[in-house]
Structures are given as structure tokens and as C-alpha cells.
């Protein structure tokens, strides 16, 4: 039942087994397997029922059973309950020896995921109090929590403890530290850690490290440093990925070096034998909008659609629609919406998902466009009415409008001109 993931059948069998009053006692490994399976299925309630049953039946848990239980609770966002359970076992002399580094590290991971740094360090202090050894994975978990919480000042103490306890850092340790400093905005410190690691000679920088530093450079618009990192990657024979390319496009686009961004996409993808993905194209569109090159952004749509290895997504269309509005070209935004929903009258290339369905757009994007067009000229209002009718008839989509604006014709149309002329004659 566990292997084929038929846990409903397992639950029914267990109920029948108990109802018959069978005297057969299940073993700790059996309970462990069931607890793990229900945990992965997201049934935390059943996990706790099995744990209670174990205790009622007097089955002594092994370290593996406790590890399965802790993991099952943590993956279901119950780190507090997992920690309380570990504490209870530590208070029982006969079970204290079953609590090990792996179990405590799992609890640490639970608090790290929700960025509860105080609890992470409280668990760490408890480990040291009970003389539970920390390994590289334990320290990497805590360092990752510091990185995500932008609290790298606390990370330095962990590195000191690693050195004192002779726990060797690995490539993930260095990568996490570099990521943390970049997230915190201290890119120079990240560069320093990278250089120290290279001098040490035990590990070679990988793509993840370089991408972290590139991302840090991008946030601070450090164009030349970004290009130096790219050259270092080439020298070290570290192949860039689409993620690398996306970051570089952002950097160059913001620096108004649009031509160089396009050249880089073409050259790097060819040299490293990969195709730009939709994220790269989306970044190129954003770069075009930033440089007020809407026609070039629109042409990217047809280029991407022609690439059979790349699928358009709703975020790409949303960026293009908002770019049209930003550059005051709402009629082009209407054309983009028609392309996204495969509506008649579209002048852009036909696009679809791999299964043939239209890509579409989020309702929020449609509402933004509706608001803009309904508050515009008579032609823009008419364009929205035509598009809204198509969306309703072809795709059964009704766009709600939050504001009611006065009709353009009530102020500027023929009726308005007649009323003004009449008032002048009366005067």
C-alpha cells in the first residue's frame, strides 16, 4: 500500500486489524514507514495518531522512527510540535540516546524554512547543551537561515564555531555565505569570500556562486563588475545558464546598453549550446521597455513564438501589456491581449501552450488595461468594448471594472458640441 501510495486502503486495513482485536504488535520500523508515508501525503493528523498508537502499544521507537516522525511533522509546517516531541524524548532517559544530529537538524530546517531565526539559534543552543554534535549539514542549514533573513552578522559566529569544532565547510557552505552577503547588499564581502575560497584551493567556484554574485551586482547596477564575473566564468570554463543570461540582460538593459544585451543573448546561447527560455525573453522585453523601444519588444514575441523550444507564458504577456501602457500605446496592448487569448484580429504571431490551449493573462492585468482604455479617448473606449466582447464571447471571460468614468462622447462628441453651441446662442 505504501509503495503504490494507496494510503486510504492502508488506513482501512489498519482499522479492520484493530477491530478484530489482533494481538500482533507492529514493530517500530513498520510504524516508521507508515509515519513517513502519511507525512509525505500531508496527513499530519494520521501521523500523530500512529505515534499515539505506538505509545499505547508500548513500542519503543528507534532513532530512525523518531527521525521519520520529526521529518513528517516538519514537512507539514509543524516545526514547533516536532521540537516539543524531541524535548519530550530527551527527558526520558531510555530514549535520550535515540535523539541524534539528524533529528535536531530536521527541526532546525523546519524553523529555517519559515525564517524564524530566534528559534533556529534556540535549537542550536539546546544541541550544544545536550552535547549533540553538529555536522556540516547542520551548520549549512543555519547559515541558509541567516542568509534568507539578511542576518549575516550572526553567521560569523557559526563560522567560528565550525572552526572550533573542526567541522570542515563544503562548497554549499561557501555558496550560502556568498548568497547571504549578496542578499544583504554587501557584494564586496561576497567577492572577498569568493577570493578566499579560490586561494584555499579546496573548492572551485560553480555556476550557483557566480549567479549569486551576478544577482548582487544587478541589484546595485554594477555593470562592469558583472561583465568581469562573466569573463571569469568563461576562463574557469563554467557554462552560463539561462538564469545567468537573465541577470546580465537586466544589468545591461538598466544601463541602457540594449544592443549589447541582445548580442550577449545570441552569443552566449550559441557558444554554450542552449536556447534562450521565456525568462530571458521576458527580461529582454523589460529592457526594451526601459529603453523605450516598444517595436523591438513586440518583435520579440514573434521571435519567441517561432522558436519551437520555447513556450510563451502569461508573465511574458503581462510584461508586454504593461510596457505598452507605460509607453502610452494602449492599442498595441489590445493586440497583445488578443495574441494571449488567440482572439480574431491579432496582428502578432499565433502562440499557444504545448497542448494547443491559449496562454491567457491574469485578471489583474486585464483590469489594468480596462481601466486605462475606459478612461481614454473615444477610440480607446471603443477598442476596449470590442475586446471585452471578444473575451466574453470567445473565452467566457468577464472583466470587472472597478471605476466608472464619464463617457468620452459626453465631453467631446457631437452631442457635447451641440450643447455648447446652444449655450453660446442663448448667451
Amino acid at each position: 500500500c505504501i509503495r503504490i501510495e494507496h494510503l486510504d486502503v492502508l488506513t482501512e486495513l489498519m482499522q479492520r486489524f484493530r477491530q478484530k482485536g489482533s494481538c500482533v504488535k507492529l514493530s517500530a520500523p513498520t510504524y516508521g514507514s507508515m509515519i513517513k508515508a502519511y507525512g509525505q501525503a500531508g496527513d499530519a493528523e494520521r501521523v500523530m495518531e500512529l505515534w499515539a498508537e505506538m505509545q499505547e502499544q508500548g513500542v519503543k521507537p528507534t532513532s530512525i522512527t523518531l527521525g521519520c516522525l520529526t521529518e513528517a511533522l516538519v514537512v507539514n509546517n509543524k516545526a514547533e510540535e516536532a521540537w516539543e516531541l524531541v524535548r519530550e524524548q530527551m527527558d526520558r532517559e531510555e530514549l535520550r540516546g535515540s535523539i541524534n544530529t539528524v533529528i535536531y537538524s530536521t527541526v532546525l530546517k523546519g524553523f529555517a524554512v519559515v525564517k524564524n531565526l530566534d528559534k533556529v539559534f534556540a535549537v542550536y543552543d539546546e544541541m550544544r547543551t545536550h552535547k549533540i554534535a553538529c555536522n556540516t549539514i547542520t551548520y549549512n542549514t543555519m547559515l541558509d537561515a541567516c542568509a534568507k533573513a539578511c542576518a549575516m552578522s550572526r553567521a560569523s559566529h557559526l563560522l567560528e564555531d565550525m572552526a572550533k569544532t573542526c567541522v570542515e565547510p563544503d562548497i554549499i557552505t561557501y555558496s550560502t555565505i556568498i548568497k547571504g552577503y549578496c542578499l544583504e547588499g554587501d557584494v564586496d564581502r561576497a567577492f572577498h569570500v569568493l577570493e578566499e575560497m579560490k586561494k584555499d584551493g579546496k573548492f572551485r567556484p560553480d555556476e550557483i556562486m557566480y549567479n549569486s554574485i551576478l544577482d548582487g551586482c544587478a541589484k546595485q547596477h554594477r555593470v562592469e563588475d558583472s561583465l568581469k564575473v562573466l569573463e571569469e566564468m568563461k576562463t574557469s570554463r563554467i557554462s552560463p545558464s539561462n538564469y545567468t543570461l537573465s541577470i546580465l540582460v537586466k544589468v545591461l538593459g538598466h544601463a541602457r546598453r540594449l544592443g549589447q544585451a541582445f548580442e550577449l543573448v545570441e552569443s552566449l546561447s550559441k557558444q554554450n549550446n542552449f536556447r534562450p527560455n521565456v525568462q530571458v525573453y521576458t527580461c529582454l522585453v523589460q529592457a526594451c521597455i526601459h529603453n523605450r523601444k516598444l517595436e523591438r519588444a513586440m518583435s520579440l514575441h514573434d521571435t519567441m513564438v517561432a522558436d519551437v523550444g520555447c513556450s510563451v507564458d502569461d508573465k511574458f504577456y503581462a510584461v508586454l501589456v504593461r510596457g505598452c501602457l507605460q509607453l502610452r500605446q494602449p492599442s498595441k496592448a489590445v493586440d497583445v491581449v488578443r495574441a494571449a487569448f488567440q482572439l480574431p484580429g491579432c496582428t502578432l504571431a499565433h502562440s499557444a501552450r504545448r497542448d494547443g490551449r491559449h496562454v491567457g493573462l491574469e485578471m489583474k492585468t486585464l483590469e489594468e488595461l480596462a481601466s486605462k482604455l475606459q478612461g481614454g479617448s473615444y477610440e480607446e473606449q471603443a477598442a476596449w468594448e470590442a475586446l471585452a466582447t471578444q473575451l466574453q464571447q470567445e473565452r467566457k471571460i468577464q472583466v470587472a471594472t472597478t471605476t466608472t468614468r464619464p463617457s468620452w462622447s459626453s465631453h467631446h462628441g457631437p452631442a457635447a458640441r451641440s450643447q455648447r453651441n446652444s449655450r453660446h446662442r442663448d448667451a
Side-chain angles (χ1 to χ4, degrees), residues 303-317:
T303 301
M304 185 166 55
V305 169
D307 186 347
V308 293
C310 186
S311 298
V312 193
D313 63 12
D314 58 345
K315 184 179 179 182
F316 174 88
Y317 279 121

Side-chain angles (χ1 to χ4, degrees), residues 10 17 24 28 55 70 79 99 123 132 166 179 197 200 210 243 280 286 289 305 313 316 320 332 340 357 399 424-425:
L10 176 61
F17 181 75
V24 177
Q55 292 176 305
T70 308
I99 303 298
V123 174
I132 303 291
C166 300
K179 178 185 71 174
M197 189 192 77
D200 189 51
Y210 282 123
Y243 184 68
V280 173
Q286 290 172 323
I289 300 302
V305 169
D313 63 12
F316 174 88
L320 198 49
K332 290 188 182 297
R357 294 183 299 114
V399 181
H424 284 310
R425 283 196 299 273

Side-chain angles (χ1 to χ4, degrees), residues 94 135 167 190 202 260 293 332 340 354 356 379:
E94 73 276 13
N135 57 21
V167 177
K202 290 182 181 178
Q260 191 175 357
K293 301 291 183 183
K332 290 188 182 297
R354 295 186 189 279
E379 289 79 9

Side-chain angles (χ1 to χ4, degrees), residues 334 337 366-367 369-371 373-374 379-389 391 399-401:
V334 170
V337 173
L366 293 174
E367 288 171 353
L369 178 60
S371 177
L373 291 175
Q374 287 180 319
E379 289 79 9
E380 289 170 356
Q381 290 180 35
W384 169 251
E385 288 175 8
L387 179 60
T389 301
L391 287 169
V399 181
T401 52

Side-chain angles (χ1 to χ4, degrees), residues 55 75 87 116 142 151 169 180 218 236 264 352 367 380 382 387 392:
Q55 292 176 305
V75 297
R87 284 175 156 180
N116 192 334
M142 292 187 287
S236 303
L264 204 59
E367 288 171 353
E380 289 170 356
L387 179 60
Q392 173 67 33

